[in-house]
């Protein structure tokens, strides 16, 4: 028998502690505010102390409990420090969102190994390290948890000049599926990816010119009829952080305007 209280609490995330990497980017910032307004305690991290502090101040001004710590997601000691700082601030971690990432599109014959490795380190190694140390914390807590890795619609569709980015995001999809097999039944830690298409940010603003050939061409592949906005991902991320997604793990959640369908 389905109980009313069960349904009413399905999407309740109040009081949960979320650590968000790449929090000063467009995606991470939207999720920080979305989670905060939903009643979660937010711990933000990125490379810039100035930007993280400014974001945390913005969140606090809205009545959101927030802490921050800085570090490079691809450096193990930095990740350990950030995770320890988050636990020191809020006592536990219930949700991890790995929104940190990097891309540098270039033909493979023109891209040197150092550039390619930077993409892999930022996207794959950084995600792996946060999963390792936040996962360790969640296991020690013994209360389960939710891990949401930010992947891309490009994880399953190749693109010219994207041998770094597409490869990295495909790796994140499989990392989530592997961790789902490793963690969910044993530790009640659900691991899923969210796979967005192009959304508005400082780096993509140029693509939103509705008169441009790039915009018109991209729109042909989007059944939803528009490009994404950072706010489009708040709902799916709340779902993936809540008990509503308890029977969901190892999934690559398409939030890409129908791009994979076309």
């Amino acid at each position: 028998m389905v109980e009313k209280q069960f349904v009413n609490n399905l999407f309740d995330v109040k009081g949960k502690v979320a650590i968000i990497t790449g929090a000063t980017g467009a995606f991470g910032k939207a999720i920080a505010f979305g989670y905060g307004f939903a009643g979660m305690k937010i711990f933000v991290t990125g490379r810039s102390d100035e930007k993280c502090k400014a974001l945390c101040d913005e969140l606090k001004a809205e009545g959101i409990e927030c802490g921050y710590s800085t570090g490079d997601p691809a450096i193990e000691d930095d990740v350990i420090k950030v995770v320890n700082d988050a636990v020191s601030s809020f006592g536990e971690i219930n949700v991890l969102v790995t929104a940190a990432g990097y891309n540098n599109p270039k033909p493979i014959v023109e891209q040197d190994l150092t550039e390619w490795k930077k993409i892999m380190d930022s996207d794959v190694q950084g995600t792996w390290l946060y999963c390792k140390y936040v996962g360790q914390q969640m296991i020690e807590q013994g209360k389960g948890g939710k891990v949401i890795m930010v992947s891309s619609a490009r994880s399953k569709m190749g693109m010219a000049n994207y041998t770094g980015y597409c490869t990295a995001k495909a790796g994140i999809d499989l990392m989530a599926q592997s961790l789902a097999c490793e963690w969910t039944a044993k530790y009640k830690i659900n691991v899923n990816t969210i796979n967005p298409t192009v959304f508005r940010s400082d780096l993509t603003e140029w693509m939103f010119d509705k008169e441009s050939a790039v915009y018109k061409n991209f729109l042909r592949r989007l059944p939803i009829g528009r490009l994404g906005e950072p706010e489009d991902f708040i709902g799916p991320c709340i779902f993936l952080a809540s008990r509503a997604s308890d029977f969901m793990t190892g999934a690559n959640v398409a939030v890409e305007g129908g791009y994979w369908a076309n």
Side-chain angles (χ1 to χ4, degrees), residues 99-137:
Y102 172 77
N103 190 22
N104 183 16
K106 193 175 287 188
I108 191 170
V109 296
E110 297 175 14
Q111 189 162 54
D112 64 41
L113 184 58
T114 301
E115 291 176 322
W116 188 83
K117 282 185 174 180
K118 184 176 179 180
I119 298 170
M120 300 303 291
D121 288 351
S122 298
D123 291 31
V124 180
Q125 182 166 305
T127 299
W128 187 88
L129 283 169
Y130 267 101
C131 286
K132 175 179 174 65
Y133 288 103
V134 173
Q136 179 178 297
Q137 175 64 30

Short mmCIF file of all heavy atoms in Angstrom, two decimals, residues 99-137:
data_model
loop_
_atom_site.label_atom_id
_atom_site.label_comp_id
_atom_site.label_asym_id
_atom_site.label_seq_id
_atom_site.Cartn_x
_atom_site.Cartn_y
_atom_site.Cartn_z
N ALA A 99 30.92 18.49 -10.96
CA ALA A 99 30.66 19.38 -12.09
C ALA A 99 31.93 20.00 -12.67
O ALA A 99 31.86 20.76 -13.63
CB ALA A 99 29.70 20.49 -11.66
N ALA A 100 33.09 19.69 -12.08
CA ALA A 100 34.34 20.24 -12.61
C ALA A 100 34.69 19.56 -13.92
O ALA A 100 34.50 18.35 -14.09
CB ALA A 100 35.46 20.03 -11.60
N GLY A 101 35.19 20.33 -14.87
CA GLY A 101 35.57 19.75 -16.15
C GLY A 101 36.28 20.77 -17.03
O GLY A 101 36.37 21.95 -16.69
N TYR A 102 36.77 20.29 -18.16
CA TYR A 102 37.57 21.14 -19.05
C TYR A 102 37.49 20.56 -20.46
O TYR A 102 37.38 19.34 -20.63
CB TYR A 102 39.02 21.17 -18.57
CG TYR A 102 39.99 21.85 -19.51
CD1 TYR A 102 40.03 23.24 -19.59
CD2 TYR A 102 40.86 21.11 -20.30
CE1 TYR A 102 40.93 23.87 -20.45
CE2 TYR A 102 41.77 21.73 -21.15
CZ TYR A 102 41.79 23.11 -21.22
OH TYR A 102 42.67 23.73 -22.08
N ASN A 103 37.55 21.44 -21.45
CA ASN A 103 37.62 20.99 -22.84
C ASN A 103 38.49 21.93 -23.64
O ASN A 103 38.57 23.14 -23.35
CB ASN A 103 36.22 20.92 -23.47
CG ASN A 103 36.23 20.24 -24.83
OD1 ASN A 103 37.14 19.48 -25.13
ND2 ASN A 103 35.23 20.49 -25.63
N ASN A 104 39.15 21.39 -24.63
CA ASN A 104 39.96 22.18 -25.56
C ASN A 104 39.90 21.50 -26.93
O ASN A 104 40.79 20.73 -27.29
CB ASN A 104 41.41 22.27 -25.07
CG ASN A 104 42.27 23.15 -25.96
OD1 ASN A 104 41.76 23.92 -26.76
ND2 ASN A 104 43.58 23.01 -25.84
N PRO A 105 38.81 21.75 -27.68
CA PRO A 105 38.62 21.06 -28.97
C PRO A 105 39.75 21.37 -29.94
O PRO A 105 40.14 22.53 -30.11
CB PRO A 105 37.29 21.62 -29.47
CG PRO A 105 36.63 22.21 -28.28
CD PRO A 105 37.72 22.70 -27.40
N LYS A 106 40.23 20.32 -30.60
CA LYS A 106 41.30 20.50 -31.57
C LYS A 106 41.45 19.21 -32.37
O LYS A 106 41.26 18.12 -31.82
CB LYS A 106 42.61 20.84 -30.85
CG LYS A 106 43.71 21.37 -31.76
CD LYS A 106 44.92 21.80 -30.93
CE LYS A 106 44.64 23.09 -30.19
NZ LYS A 106 45.88 23.62 -29.53
N PRO A 107 41.79 19.29 -33.65
CA PRO A 107 42.06 18.07 -34.41
C PRO A 107 43.16 17.25 -33.74
O PRO A 107 44.13 17.83 -33.22
CB PRO A 107 42.51 18.59 -35.78
CG PRO A 107 41.90 19.95 -35.89
CD PRO A 107 41.91 20.50 -34.50
N ILE A 108 43.04 15.94 -33.76
CA ILE A 108 43.98 15.09 -33.04
C ILE A 108 45.42 15.31 -33.51
O ILE A 108 46.36 15.27 -32.70
CB ILE A 108 43.58 13.61 -33.16
CG1 ILE A 108 44.40 12.74 -32.19
CG2 ILE A 108 43.69 13.11 -34.60
CD1 ILE A 108 43.91 11.32 -32.08
N VAL A 109 45.62 15.57 -34.80
CA VAL A 109 46.98 15.73 -35.30
C VAL A 109 47.59 17.07 -34.90
O VAL A 109 48.79 17.28 -35.02
CB VAL A 109 47.04 15.57 -36.84
CG1 VAL A 109 46.64 14.14 -37.22
CG2 VAL A 109 46.15 16.59 -37.55
N GLU A 110 46.75 17.99 -34.41
CA GLU A 110 47.25 19.29 -33.97
C GLU A 110 47.29 19.42 -32.46
O GLU A 110 47.86 20.38 -31.93
CB GLU A 110 46.36 20.40 -34.55
CG GLU A 110 46.37 20.47 -36.06
CD GLU A 110 45.40 21.51 -36.60
OE1 GLU A 110 44.92 22.35 -35.80
OE2 GLU A 110 45.11 21.47 -37.82
N GLN A 111 46.72 18.47 -31.76
CA GLN A 111 46.66 18.56 -30.29
C GLN A 111 47.81 17.77 -29.68
O GLN A 111 47.97 16.58 -29.96
CB GLN A 111 45.33 18.00 -29.79
CG GLN A 111 45.10 18.24 -28.31
CD GLN A 111 43.63 18.09 -27.96
OE1 GLN A 111 43.03 17.06 -28.24
NE2 GLN A 111 43.05 19.11 -27.33
N ASP A 112 48.61 18.46 -28.85
CA ASP A 112 49.73 17.72 -28.25
C ASP A 112 49.25 16.93 -27.04
O ASP A 112 48.16 17.14 -26.51
CB ASP A 112 50.90 18.65 -27.90
CG ASP A 112 50.57 19.69 -26.85
OD1 ASP A 112 49.88 19.35 -25.87
OD2 ASP A 112 51.01 20.85 -27.00
N LEU A 113 50.08 16.02 -26.62
CA LEU A 113 49.71 15.09 -25.55
C LEU A 113 49.41 15.82 -24.25
O LEU A 113 48.50 15.41 -23.49
CB LEU A 113 50.82 14.07 -25.34
CG LEU A 113 50.57 12.97 -24.32
CD1 LEU A 113 49.33 12.16 -24.68
CD2 LEU A 113 51.79 12.06 -24.21
N THR A 114 50.12 16.89 -23.98
CA THR A 114 49.91 17.65 -22.75
C THR A 114 48.49 18.22 -22.68
O THR A 114 47.82 18.17 -21.64
CB THR A 114 50.92 18.80 -22.62
OG1 THR A 114 52.24 18.25 -22.63
CG2 THR A 114 50.72 19.58 -21.34
N GLU A 115 48.00 18.74 -23.82
CA GLU A 115 46.64 19.28 -23.87
C GLU A 115 45.61 18.18 -23.66
O GLU A 115 44.63 18.36 -22.94
CB GLU A 115 46.39 19.97 -25.21
CG GLU A 115 47.18 21.25 -25.42
CD GLU A 115 46.96 21.81 -26.81
OE1 GLU A 115 46.87 21.01 -27.78
OE2 GLU A 115 46.87 23.04 -26.95
N TRP A 116 45.83 17.05 -24.32
CA TRP A 116 44.90 15.92 -24.20
C TRP A 116 44.87 15.42 -22.77
O TRP A 116 43.79 15.14 -22.20
CB TRP A 116 45.32 14.81 -25.15
CG TRP A 116 44.33 13.68 -25.25
CD1 TRP A 116 43.22 13.61 -26.03
CD2 TRP A 116 44.39 12.44 -24.54
NE1 TRP A 116 42.58 12.41 -25.85
CE2 TRP A 116 43.27 11.67 -24.94
CE3 TRP A 116 45.27 11.90 -23.60
CZ2 TRP A 116 43.02 10.40 -24.45
CZ3 TRP A 116 45.02 10.63 -23.09
CH2 TRP A 116 43.90 9.90 -23.52
N LYS A 117 46.02 15.31 -22.13
CA LYS A 117 46.09 14.83 -20.75
C LYS A 117 45.39 15.80 -19.80
O LYS A 117 44.80 15.38 -18.80
CB LYS A 117 47.55 14.64 -20.33
CG LYS A 117 48.18 13.36 -20.86
CD LYS A 117 49.58 13.18 -20.31
CE LYS A 117 50.16 11.83 -20.72
NZ LYS A 117 51.53 11.64 -20.20
N LYS A 118 45.45 17.09 -20.09
CA LYS A 118 44.78 18.07 -19.23
C LYS A 118 43.26 17.83 -19.24
O LYS A 118 42.60 17.93 -18.20
CB LYS A 118 45.09 19.49 -19.68
CG LYS A 118 44.48 20.55 -18.77
CD LYS A 118 44.88 21.95 -19.19
CE LYS A 118 44.24 22.99 -18.26
NZ LYS A 118 44.60 24.38 -18.64
N ILE A 119 42.71 17.51 -20.41
CA ILE A 119 41.29 17.20 -20.51
C ILE A 119 40.97 15.95 -19.69
O ILE A 119 40.02 15.91 -18.91
CB ILE A 119 40.86 17.00 -21.98
CG1 ILE A 119 41.08 18.27 -22.78
CG2 ILE A 119 39.41 16.56 -22.07
CD1 ILE A 119 40.92 18.09 -24.28
N MET A 120 41.80 14.92 -19.86
CA MET A 120 41.56 13.66 -19.15
C MET A 120 41.72 13.84 -17.64
O MET A 120 40.93 13.31 -16.86
CB MET A 120 42.53 12.58 -19.66
CG MET A 120 42.38 12.28 -21.14
SD MET A 120 40.70 11.75 -21.62
CE MET A 120 40.63 10.15 -20.83
N ASP A 121 42.74 14.61 -17.24
CA ASP A 121 42.96 14.84 -15.81
C ASP A 121 41.80 15.61 -15.19
O ASP A 121 41.30 15.27 -14.11
CB ASP A 121 44.26 15.62 -15.58
CG ASP A 121 45.50 14.77 -15.83
OD1 ASP A 121 45.37 13.55 -16.02
OD2 ASP A 121 46.61 15.35 -15.85
N SER A 122 41.36 16.67 -15.86
CA SER A 122 40.30 17.51 -15.32
C SER A 122 38.97 16.78 -15.28
O SER A 122 38.21 16.90 -14.31
CB SER A 122 40.16 18.78 -16.17
OG SER A 122 41.34 19.55 -16.14
N ASP A 123 38.66 16.03 -16.32
CA ASP A 123 37.35 15.40 -16.44
C ASP A 123 37.28 14.02 -15.79
O ASP A 123 36.32 13.71 -15.07
CB ASP A 123 36.95 15.28 -17.92
CG ASP A 123 36.66 16.63 -18.55
OD1 ASP A 123 37.29 17.62 -18.14
OD2 ASP A 123 35.82 16.70 -19.44
N VAL A 124 38.29 13.19 -16.04
CA VAL A 124 38.24 11.81 -15.56
C VAL A 124 38.96 11.64 -14.23
O VAL A 124 38.37 11.15 -13.26
CB VAL A 124 38.84 10.84 -16.61
CG1 VAL A 124 38.79 9.40 -16.09
CG2 VAL A 124 38.08 10.94 -17.92
N GLN A 125 40.20 12.06 -14.15
CA GLN A 125 40.96 11.86 -12.92
C GLN A 125 40.32 12.62 -11.75
O GLN A 125 40.20 12.09 -10.64
CB GLN A 125 42.41 12.31 -13.10
CG GLN A 125 43.28 12.09 -11.87
CD GLN A 125 44.75 12.21 -12.17
OE1 GLN A 125 45.28 11.54 -13.06
NE2 GLN A 125 45.44 13.07 -11.44
N GLY A 126 39.89 13.86 -12.01
CA GLY A 126 39.26 14.64 -10.96
C GLY A 126 37.98 13.99 -10.45
O GLY A 126 37.71 13.96 -9.25
N THR A 127 37.18 13.46 -11.37
CA THR A 127 35.95 12.77 -10.98
C THR A 127 36.27 11.52 -10.18
O THR A 127 35.65 11.24 -9.15
CB THR A 127 35.13 12.42 -12.24
OG1 THR A 127 34.78 13.62 -12.92
CG2 THR A 127 33.87 11.66 -11.88
N TRP A 128 37.25 10.75 -10.64
CA TRP A 128 37.65 9.52 -9.96
C TRP A 128 38.13 9.80 -8.54
O TRP A 128 37.76 9.11 -7.59
CB TRP A 128 38.75 8.83 -10.78
CG TRP A 128 39.15 7.47 -10.29
CD1 TRP A 128 38.59 6.28 -10.62
CD2 TRP A 128 40.21 7.17 -9.36
NE1 TRP A 128 39.24 5.24 -9.98
CE2 TRP A 128 40.24 5.77 -9.21
CE3 TRP A 128 41.14 7.95 -8.67
CZ2 TRP A 128 41.16 5.12 -8.37
CZ3 TRP A 128 42.06 7.31 -7.83
CH2 TRP A 128 42.06 5.91 -7.68
N LEU A 129 38.95 10.84 -8.38
CA LEU A 129 39.48 11.17 -7.05
C LEU A 129 38.38 11.58 -6.08
O LEU A 129 38.37 11.16 -4.92
CB LEU A 129 40.53 12.27 -7.16
CG LEU A 129 41.91 11.85 -7.68
CD1 LEU A 129 42.76 13.07 -8.00
CD2 LEU A 129 42.62 10.96 -6.66
N TYR A 130 37.44 12.40 -6.55
CA TYR A 130 36.35 12.81 -5.66
C TYR A 130 35.46 11.62 -5.31
O TYR A 130 34.99 11.49 -4.18
CB TYR A 130 35.55 13.97 -6.25
CG TYR A 130 36.09 15.29 -5.77
CD1 TYR A 130 36.92 16.05 -6.58
CD2 TYR A 130 35.82 15.75 -4.49
CE1 TYR A 130 37.46 17.25 -6.12
CE2 TYR A 130 36.34 16.95 -4.03
CZ TYR A 130 37.16 17.69 -4.84
OH TYR A 130 37.69 18.86 -4.38
N CYS A 131 35.21 10.75 -6.28
CA CYS A 131 34.43 9.56 -5.98
C CYS A 131 35.16 8.68 -4.96
O CYS A 131 34.53 8.14 -4.03
CB CYS A 131 34.17 8.76 -7.25
SG CYS A 131 32.94 9.51 -8.35
N LYS A 132 36.46 8.55 -5.10
CA LYS A 132 37.25 7.73 -4.18
C LYS A 132 37.12 8.24 -2.74
O LYS A 132 36.80 7.47 -1.82
CB LYS A 132 38.71 7.72 -4.61
CG LYS A 132 39.65 6.97 -3.65
CD LYS A 132 41.08 7.00 -4.18
CE LYS A 132 42.06 6.40 -3.17
NZ LYS A 132 41.82 4.94 -2.95
N TYR A 133 37.36 9.53 -2.54
CA TYR A 133 37.45 10.03 -1.17
C TYR A 133 36.10 10.41 -0.57
O TYR A 133 35.88 10.23 0.63
CB TYR A 133 38.45 11.19 -1.11
CG TYR A 133 39.86 10.67 -1.27
CD1 TYR A 133 40.55 10.81 -2.48
CD2 TYR A 133 40.47 9.96 -0.24
CE1 TYR A 133 41.82 10.27 -2.64
CE2 TYR A 133 41.73 9.41 -0.39
CZ TYR A 133 42.41 9.57 -1.58
OH TYR A 133 43.66 9.02 -1.74
N VAL A 134 35.17 10.89 -1.39
CA VAL A 134 33.81 11.09 -0.87
C VAL A 134 33.15 9.72 -0.66
O VAL A 134 32.44 9.51 0.34
CB VAL A 134 32.97 11.97 -1.81
CG1 VAL A 134 31.51 12.02 -1.33
CG2 VAL A 134 33.53 13.39 -1.86
N GLY A 135 33.39 8.80 -1.57
CA GLY A 135 32.86 7.45 -1.41
C GLY A 135 33.36 6.81 -0.12
O GLY A 135 32.58 6.17 0.61
N GLN A 136 34.62 6.97 0.17
CA GLN A 136 35.19 6.44 1.41
C GLN A 136 34.48 7.03 2.63
O GLN A 136 34.15 6.32 3.58
CB GLN A 136 36.68 6.78 1.46
CG GLN A 136 37.41 6.32 2.70
CD GLN A 136 38.89 6.65 2.63
OE1 GLN A 136 39.61 6.17 1.76
NE2 GLN A 136 39.35 7.50 3.53
N GLN A 137 34.21 8.33 2.58
CA GLN A 137 33.51 9.00 3.67
C GLN A 137 32.08 8.47 3.81
O GLN A 137 31.61 8.19 4.92
CB GLN A 137 33.49 10.51 3.42
CG GLN A 137 32.69 11.32 4.43
CD GLN A 137 33.24 11.26 5.85
OE1 GLN A 137 34.46 11.10 6.02
NE2 GLN A 137 32.38 11.40 6.83
#
